[in-house]
Amino acid sequence: EVHLVQSEVEVKKPGESLKISCKASGYSFTTFWIGWVRQIPGKGLESVGIVDPGDSYTTYSPSFRGRVTISVDKSINTTSLQWSSLRTSDTATYYCVRRPGGVGTYAWFDPWGQGTLVIVSS
Amino acid sequence: QSVLTQSPSASGTPGQRVTISCSRGNSDIGSNTINWYRLVPGAAPKLLIYNNDQRPSGVPDRFSGSKSTASASLAISGLQSDDEGDYYCEAWDDSLNSVIFGGGTKLTVV
């Protein structure tokens, strides 16, 4: 069975750095792209970006380009999302999701990790 | 601001059929495929429909998807209280070169 396991909660101050991770199991890690999706409390879903674990090629949604970095460590089947300087507006739940089909159409998100709640507050 | 447009809310009674729509404002939704997800508090989001009308294994056939050039729809028949939640459509946007979501529709079973 496919699993994407994320840490649960991270509490940080504005200006601090953060790296959250997502460990995949139950399938060949480099075979499927993985995405990160944000949900601000009380708001809808937004795609952060998606990465090909095979070669680490990453495409970011315009709102997140330059603000976050998505990376991959194939040796431990893990994808990460990191910030160098957090803002209070980064407070949200971040889901990692497998993306069969990768970029373009005829692709979808499944399954989803349980989400990491990131709280940025002074 | 969401690039795909959904009605903020929908409701129905047990056993009823409800439809949730997804459009692209004043333009056609295009040729790219639409996927549908449900979010409920305390649980990971779940894929309901992919590639416009395909159901993943384990999703009941009460859920169905359709798409025209104008819009896409998710239909839920035989409505149950467990169907309550927030439903999102999703697609690839060629101009943004990224995934886009609808704003979500909150379904209430009254």
Side-chain angles (χ1 to χ4, degrees):
Chain A
E1 188 178 354
V2 176
H3 287 289
L4 298 173
V5 179
Q6 304 179 236
S7 52
E8 289 201 0
V9 184
E10 300 278 354
V11 182
K12 292 288 187 179
K13 290 181 166 46
E16 291 186 334
S17 63
L18 174 65
K19 188 174 188 176
I20 62 175
S21 61
C22 167
K23 185 172 176 59
S25 63
Y27 70 100
S28 175
F29 181 63
T30 56
T31 304
F32 295 91
W33 290 59
I34 289 186
W36 286 92
V37 176
R38 180 176 82 174
Q39 185 176 29
I40 292 172
K43 303 294 185 183
L45 300 174
E46 302 169 271
S47 177
V48 175
I50 54 176
V51 60
D52 179 350
D55 61 8
S56 294
Y57 174 80
T58 307
T59 176
Y60 296 93
S61 294
S63 301
F64 296 91
R65 210 166 285 147
R67 283 281 298 129
V68 298
T69 301
I70 296 172
S71 59
V72 167
D73 186 337
K74 289 190 288 188
S75 68
I76 54 172
N77 289 1
T78 296
T79 307
S80 298
L81 176 65
Q82 66 183 75
W83 296 258
S84 59
S85 179
L86 285 161
R87 303 170 181 171
T88 55
S89 56
D90 294 318
T91 294
T93 296
Y94 293 85
Y95 296 98
C96 73
V97 206
R98 195 178 70 164
R99 189 160 176 90
V103 294
T105 192
Y106 294 102
W108 56 94
F109 286 129
D110 184 59
W112 295 60
Q114 82 277 21
T116 297
L117 175 59
V118 173
I119 300 170
V120 184
S121 174
S122 55
Chain B
Q1 185 173 0
S2 305
V3 185
L4 296 174
T5 301
Q6 298 180 239
S7 297
S9 64
S11 64
T13 56
Q16 198 174 21
R17 182 178 188 270
V18 297
T19 301
I20 297 171
S21 65
C22 174
S23 62
R24 190 144 185 180
N26 294 326
S27 60
D28 288 341
I29 204 165
S31 59
N32 286 355
T33 56
I34 296 291
N35 308 309
W36 291 92
Y37 307 90
R38 178 175 67 199
L39 274 73
V40 294
K46 180 180 178 180
L47 174 70
L48 296 174
I49 296 289
Y50 67 99
N51 289 351
N52 301 328
D53 57 9
Q54 301 298 301
R55 253 189 331 273
S57 61
V59 173
D61 59 6
R62 301 186 297 106
F63 293 87
S64 62
S66 63
K67 179 176 174 290
S68 67
T69 54
S71 65
S73 296
L74 172 71
I76 310 170
S77 60
L79 203 60
Q80 301 176 1
S81 56
D82 287 354
D83 296 331
E84 286 197 333
D86 296 322
Y87 290 78
Y88 291 86
C89 59
E90 174 258 303
W92 181 263
D93 187 295
D94 293 320
S95 60
L96 296 176
N97 198 41
S98 67
V99 172
I100 55 174
F101 284 96
T105 298
K106 186 175 185 63
L107 175 64
T108 303
V109 181
V110 298

